[in-house]
Amino acid sequence: SAVISQKPSRDICQRGTSLTIQCQVDSQVTMMFWYRQQPGQSLTLIATANQGSEATYESGFVIDKFPISRPNLTFSTLTVSNMSPEDSSIYLCSVASLYTEAFFGQGTRLTVV
Amino acid sequence: DAKTTQPPSMDCAEGRAANLPCNHSTISGNEYVYWYRQIHSQGPQYIIHGLKNNETNEMASLIITEDRKSSTLILPHATLRDTAVYYCIVPSGTYKYIFGTGTRLKVLA
């Protein structure tokens, strides 16, 4: 299994600012993903973080709003830019490798005021 | 869109078996079915997965129909700590997990 560390675990931010969330895995993994979970809702996939290249975004999500980096096989960041109260959600990192199930971090609970 | 459909909620008496159904009628021959649960907005926790044979581990059993169009997750002796949202997932593409709405299981004392 993979152990995932997400930082920060929670934050309260002012609208118009940006927050960068970090995801660190204790072993090399093939795939890394970022999800958003709005209050009372299921998880929605934001993007696939690709090592050394631009992330692959799902419909409805754009790089300008959610820039993602993945400099190596164990680390990725998600930035939530120019935040508004509608961005208040839990953001989760997920990892998977060949022939294994996906593992999820404990999430970053973001509140935008 | 998610490839699975689940009932939105279920109740189960403590100590009894909880049977959670899932429909995945468009599943392809080489696609697995995964089950996860999420407790109190923590990160989803892996439970079990299967291809076509029934599977059992220390947490649960997974029964997949012969035509693979549906499956049932069985928690043999539900406890209060099993109260959670349970997600049935058929990953699309390369390990992309698209979550449906899941089943909110409430275990009653």
Side-chain angles (χ1 to χ4, degrees), chain B residues 1-21:
Chain B
D1 292 346
K3 294 184 176 182
T4 62
T5 56
Q6 301 175 251
S9 64
M10 295 181 65
D11 290 342
C12 177
E14 189 178 22
R16 304 298 293 269
N19 297 283
L20 293 90

Side-chain angles (χ1 to χ4, degrees), chain B residues 27-39:
Chain B
I27 194 170
S28 299
N30 60 349
E31 291 179 325
Y32 283 76
V33 180
Y34 286 79
W35 283 83
Y36 285 74
R37 71 181 182 184
Q38 189 176 29
I39 300 173

Side-chain angles (χ1 to χ4, degrees), chain A residues 6-42:
Chain A
Q6 263 189 252
K7 294 181 181 178
S9 59
R10 59 177 63 232
D11 208 341
I12 301 173
C13 300
Q14 296 291 322
R15 67 179 67 199
T17 64
S18 298
L19 176 71
T20 295
I21 302 167
Q22 298 180 357
C23 177
Q24 178 73 55
V25 191
D26 67 342
S27 59
Q28 292 186 348
V29 291
T30 305
M31 310 295 293
M32 296 184 78
F33 304 93
W34 287 97
Y35 288 82
R36 180 177 73 182
Q37 187 170 31
Q38 296 175 300
Q41 303 296 311
S42 181

Side-chain angles (χ1 to χ4, degrees), chain B residues 7-8 20 22 25 30 34-35 38 46 53 56-58 67-68 71 74-75 90 96 98 106:
Chain B
L20 293 90
C22 178
S25 58
N30 60 349
Y34 286 79
W35 283 83
Q38 189 176 29
Y46 167 78
N53 298 320
T56 296
N57 63 20
E58 65 278 5
D67 63 7
R68 303 210 326 119
S71 60
I74 302 173
L75 307 178
V90 175
K96 280 174 54 173
I98 306 299
K106 186 173 183 180

Side-chain angles (χ1 to χ4, degrees), chain A residues 31 33 35 37 41-43 45 48 58 90 92 96-102 104-106 109, chain B residues 34 36 38 40-46 49 87 89 94-102 104:
Chain A
M31 310 295 293
F33 304 93
Y35 288 82
Q37 187 170 31
Q41 303 296 311
S42 181
L43 284 77
L45 180 63
T48 303
E58 298 297 310
I90 299 173
L92 299 110
S97 289
L98 290 176
Y99 311 120
T100 72
E101 63 272 20
F104 290 80
Q106 290 306 300
R109 187 179 296 272
Chain B
Y34 286 79
Y36 285 74
Q38 189 176 29
H40 289 309
S41 294
Q42 297 175 18
Q45 176 192 21
Y46 167 78
H49 73 281
Y87 294 101
I89 302 168
T94 309
Y95 301 96
K96 280 174 54 173
Y97 285 39
I98 306 299
F99 284 74
T101 54
R104 187 173 297 274

